[in-house]
Amino acid sequence: MNLDELLKEYSELELKLADPAVHADQNKARTLGRRYSQLTPIVGTYRELESSREDLTAAKELAGEDEGFAAEAAEIEERIPQLEDKLRHLLIPRDPNDDKDIIMEIKAGEGGEESALFAGDLLRMYLRYAERLGWKTEVIDSQPSDLGGYKDVTVGIRAKGDEGVWSRLKYEGGVHRVQRVPVTESQGRIHTSAAGVLVYPEAEEVDVQIDSNDLRIDVYRSSGPGGQSVNTTDSAVRITHLPTGVVVSCQNEKSQLQNKESALRILRARLLAIAQEQAEAAAQAERKSQVRTVDRSERVRTYNFPENRISDHRVGFKAYNLDQVLDGELNAVTQALIDAEMAEKLAQHS
């Protein structure tokens, strides 16, 4: 969509949002309001640029009569390229999922109990990061390990403001590697283990239609660390989506109904991710960005405890504040990934 079309759309949105009838449908009003918020910086920058160009013309005409206008013209001439660059950045096509909340799965990998403990460290890192940004978090399902880590944990993260969670955490998918002396190691040797992270944009019911006839639902008793049963009723739920073979299990809630709703929520997110990847492949629109990973097995980051170092292998980011990052100070890491993706897109559209 070019600039003229965006300006026209913005004007139409202003008229619609001024209509009281639109606000009778809260979902529609929210959708229109979100799009209006997306376009506002573009329109604002465009108007400021046009105004500056008009001011420059006027200042140059008046400079012959008053030297003060010559200085003003020089200032405006310096500002215009900055506004042009800002507008160029704003016009780069956005990821359509950037405004969405996410569902994240963290899975212990190679390394046994140490890997499960590291999965717990990653969970805490993301929960602390969300807390710093004022986001709401919810552990949807979990399988604890014997020493207090997680074999598998699923968390939902929701934003309160305009910025979606996906826009900042979509880069976390992949294999996260840790190098440290495990608590299970008596000889003090450094071990390497890993945990996998999957990130999905959360899907609304309108995004993904699920036919109940396509589902096989099994119930069973919840289990805790070591596999022991933690309650006496069949409250845990396993849902199999027959057309795709996707299987989701939930056991955190005490009621079967609540676990079913949580499982459906995860299933919708997974099916949306599958549908989007298939659509991209059909359109031959593979992700070429160096920071977006379709291959979920890709090693994306290393956490080196002896050196207090964190390294992101996709963009060459390296810092020696691992303790702070694990406490939720992820901004520098995520910003490096955002900047790299922006540079890639600018190169593609230049």
Side-chain angles (χ1 to χ4, degrees):
M1 188 176 288
N2 62 36
L3 182 57
D4 289 338
E5 290 172 333
L6 291 176
L7 293 171
K8 181 181 177 182
E9 182 185 357
Y10 187 79
S11 297
E12 291 171 350
L13 285 169
E14 280 186 315
L15 292 174
K16 289 178 182 177
L17 289 169
D19 182 358
V22 168
H23 296 273
D25 184 342
Q26 286 300 308
N27 287 332
K28 182 178 181 181
R30 193 180 303 114
T31 300
L32 293 176
R34 187 182 296 127
R35 180 60 175 163
Y36 184 79
S37 296
Q38 290 172 2
L39 294 181
T40 295
I42 297 174
V43 175
T45 303
Y46 168 76
R47 288 174 177 171
E48 186 179 355
L49 177 59
E50 289 297 288
S51 177
S52 296
R53 286 169 174 165
E54 291 173 5
D55 290 345
L56 177 61
T57 300
K60 282 183 174 180
E61 289 177 355
L62 295 169
E65 304 172 13
D66 187 335
E67 290 184 2
F69 285 106
E72 183 179 338
E75 288 179 8
I76 297 172
E77 277 191 310
E78 190 175 323
R79 186 165 70 246
I80 285 177
Q82 297 171 358
L83 290 170
E84 289 173 338
D85 188 54
K86 182 180 178 181
L87 184 60
R88 188 161 52 249
H89 277 74
L90 289 170
L91 286 172
I92 290 175
R94 299 176 74 252
D95 183 330
N97 291 321
D98 272 354
D99 293 324
K100 289 186 178 290
D101 299 320
I102 67 161
I103 287 178
M104 174 183 283
E105 297 181 50
I106 305 172
K107 300 175 180 291
E110 299 175 3
E113 191 62 48
E114 164 62 11
S115 176
L117 289 170
F118 179 52
D121 292 336
L122 290 177
L123 173 64
R124 180 179 180 276
M125 177 180 76
Y126 293 124
L127 293 180
R128 291 284 290 120
Y129 181 59
E131 182 183 335
R132 289 170 184 269
L133 293 178
W135 293 343
K136 182 180 178 182
T137 60
E138 170 193 6
V139 175
I140 300 171
D141 194 54
S142 64
Q143 295 182 37
S145 68
D146 293 331
L147 295 183
Y150 288 95
K151 298 174 185 176
D152 197 333
V153 59
T154 302
V155 59
I157 306 179
R158 292 181 171 174
K160 290 184 178 179
D162 291 333
E163 183 184 39
V165 181
W166 176 262
S167 67
R168 299 203 69 86
L169 291 184
K170 60 186 172 183
Y171 312 101
E172 297 304 303
V175 174
H176 295 240
R177 186 177 67 168
V178 61
Q179 296 171 325
R180 65 181 174 189
V181 178
V183 294
T184 54
E185 170 60 54
S186 59
Q187 303 298 319
R189 293 174 296 187
I190 296 172
H191 283 221
T192 298
S193 61
V197 177
L198 301 174
V199 188
Y200 309 102
E202 176 139 24
E204 304 290 339
E205 289 190 34
V206 294
D207 295 327
V208 178
Q209 299 293 327
I210 298 177
D211 188 336
S212 59
N213 294 322
D214 289 338
L215 303 179
R216 186 178 73 232
I217 302 176
D218 302 303
V219 295
Y220 57 98
R221 291 188 181 180
S222 302
S223 60
Q228 71 268 28
S229 178
V230 295
N231 63 29
T232 58
T233 60
D234 292 338
S235 61
V237 173
R238 181 186 301 108
I239 297 180
T240 303
H241 186 248
L242 299 175
T244 60
V246 173
V247 179
V248 179
S249 300
C250 277
Q251 63 173 24
N252 263 31
E253 304 296 340
K254 292 182 179 180
S255 84
Q256 190 179 115
L257 181 61
Q258 288 173 313
N259 281 321
K260 180 183 176 183
E261 287 303 313
S262 294
L264 284 171
R265 182 175 162 194
I266 298 169
L267 178 63
R268 274 194 294 270
R270 288 191 188 177
L271 292 179
L272 177 63
I274 291 171
Q276 290 177 338
E277 286 178 7
Q278 289 175 340
E280 288 174 358
Q284 296 183 338
E286 291 184 17
R287 294 171 183 160
K288 296 180 180 179
S289 168
Q290 59 186 315
V291 300
R292 293 297 301 277
T293 173
V294 175
D295 180 4
R296 303 296 187 181
S297 66
E298 181 184 345
R299 187 190 70 187
V300 296
R301 199 172 292 154
T302 295
Y303 304 72
N304 184 298
F305 276 71
E307 298 179 17
N308 199 35
R309 184 185 76 236
I310 181 164
S311 307
D312 195 289
H313 308 295
R314 297 162 291 183
V315 294
F317 176 88
K318 188 178 292 185
Y320 292 85
N321 64 336
L322 176 57
D323 53 337
Q324 296 172 13
V325 170
L326 288 172
D327 194 43
E329 291 190 18
L330 259 178
N331 266 336
V333 186
T334 56
Q335 194 59 50
L337 293 157
I338 290 170
D339 292 345
E341 184 174 43
M342 178 63 73
E344 181 79 10
K345 286 183 175 180
L346 276 171
Q348 291 173 3
H349 290 86
S350 60

